[in-house]
Amino acid sequence: MRVVDLGCGTGELSARLHHELAAGETLGIDRSEAMLARARPRAEGGLRFEAGDIAAFAARAAYDLVFSNAALHWVDDTALFARLTAALRPGGQLAVQMPANFDHPSHLVAAQVAGEAPFCDALGGHARAGRAVLPPEEYALLLERLGYAEQHVRLQVYGHRLAARDEVVEWVKGTLLTDYQRRLPAELYARFVARYRERLLPALEDTRPYFFTFKRVLLWAQR
């Protein structure tokens, strides 16, 4: 098989795919040089990594598998899936996982804080609302319109037992809030996180442990 992993991060899943599928060639693509620095030591015969932007990804009948884990939600482009489909050979497969927890307080509060001064001015009005992720039934329709012969789309709720509600802040700092961290000066980002914590915690049930529910869309399709 010829495989591409879009938004490969540290390359851990790219390497696992490469070995478990006995792929002839696997390419991991990520725009973060910090992530690629961690991924490149995993490179070996047939497995390689390179810098690239998912939003600009384009190929023609080049891959047997287009794979992406927790990356496509950063791309707000309805034509993206058409390009991914064009990259597949006949009989090729698409396998994607995307976070879909944007209606949870952990995400809603971040957008609200982004609308407050002084963050709003510094962000130029940007607020990560998660509009790039569709309801699962819309992905099913999209895959049908793109001509896939088989598909499986589902919404999965993952439950995470955290010691307390405070840990939700640390969780989101490693996911959603990275977008704001890239856009804000360090001092202002620290204030953003403090304000986020101040507004979020009262919106969460004060239990120990705290059961944090997180929704994800998982889809697979074959041409």
Side-chain angles (χ1 to χ4, degrees):
M1 296 180 70
R2 193 160 186 253
V3 178
V4 62
D5 180 3
L6 300 175
C8 65
T10 63
E12 181 178 356
L13 286 181
S14 311
R16 185 170 176 181
L17 277 172
H18 186 68
H19 292 293
E20 293 197 9
L21 298 176
E25 180 183 349
T26 301
L27 171 63
I29 296 175
D30 205 285
R31 70 178 181 180
S32 168
E33 284 298 334
M35 289 294 183
L36 289 171
R38 297 170 62 185
R40 287 187 173 116
R42 302 179 190 272
E44 53 179 301
L47 173 61
R48 61 190 178 90
F49 301 93
E50 66 179 41
D53 188 347
I54 297 172
F57 175 78
R60 281 286 172 188
Y63 296 100
D64 300 295
L65 173 64
V66 172
F67 176 88
S68 183
N69 181 60
L72 298 190
H73 61 293
W74 295 111
V75 182
D76 189 12
D77 180 1
T78 55
L80 173 64
F81 276 79
R83 296 199 299 274
L84 302 184
T85 302
L88 290 172
R89 293 170 173 168
Q93 301 174 67
L94 175 68
V96 173
Q97 183 273 119
M98 292 172 288
N101 220 38
F102 300 99
D103 57 352
H104 189 276
S106 59
H107 287 60
L108 294 174
V109 169
Q112 293 163 5
V113 172
E116 296 180 359
F119 315 114
C120 183
D121 290 340
L123 291 166
H126 172 82
R128 187 73 193 168
R131 61 190 182 280
V133 178
L134 304 174
E137 64 272 21
E138 292 194 29
Y139 285 111
L141 287 168
L142 177 60
L143 296 172
E144 173 67 18
R145 291 168 183 154
L146 289 171
Y148 286 91
E150 296 181 66
Q151 63 161 277
H152 180 82
V153 181
R154 77 174 192 264
L155 180 70
Q156 178 76 37
V157 180
Y158 294 87
H160 304 278
R161 290 185 178 88
L162 307 180
R165 60 183 179 176
D166 306 66
E167 291 192 0
V168 175
V169 177
E170 296 306 311
W171 178 289
V172 180
K173 280 170 65 177
T175 54
L176 176 78
L177 296 191
T178 61
D179 187 41
Y180 297 108
Q181 185 178 24
R182 283 194 297 267
R183 297 168 185 270
L184 293 171
E187 184 273 335
L188 195 55
Y189 175 68
R191 290 172 59 189
F192 183 96
V193 173
R195 177 60 174 157
Y196 171 74
R197 181 188 300 272
E198 179 185 8
R199 290 197 56 173
L200 175 64
L201 295 189
L204 303 179
E205 188 178 8
D206 189 9
T207 60
R208 294 175 182 267
Y210 177 77
F211 191 67
F212 181 36
T213 56
F214 200 103
K215 299 188 293 293
R216 298 180 184 273
V217 170
L218 300 100
L219 62 87
W220 169 88
Q222 186 167 27
R223 296 193 71 182

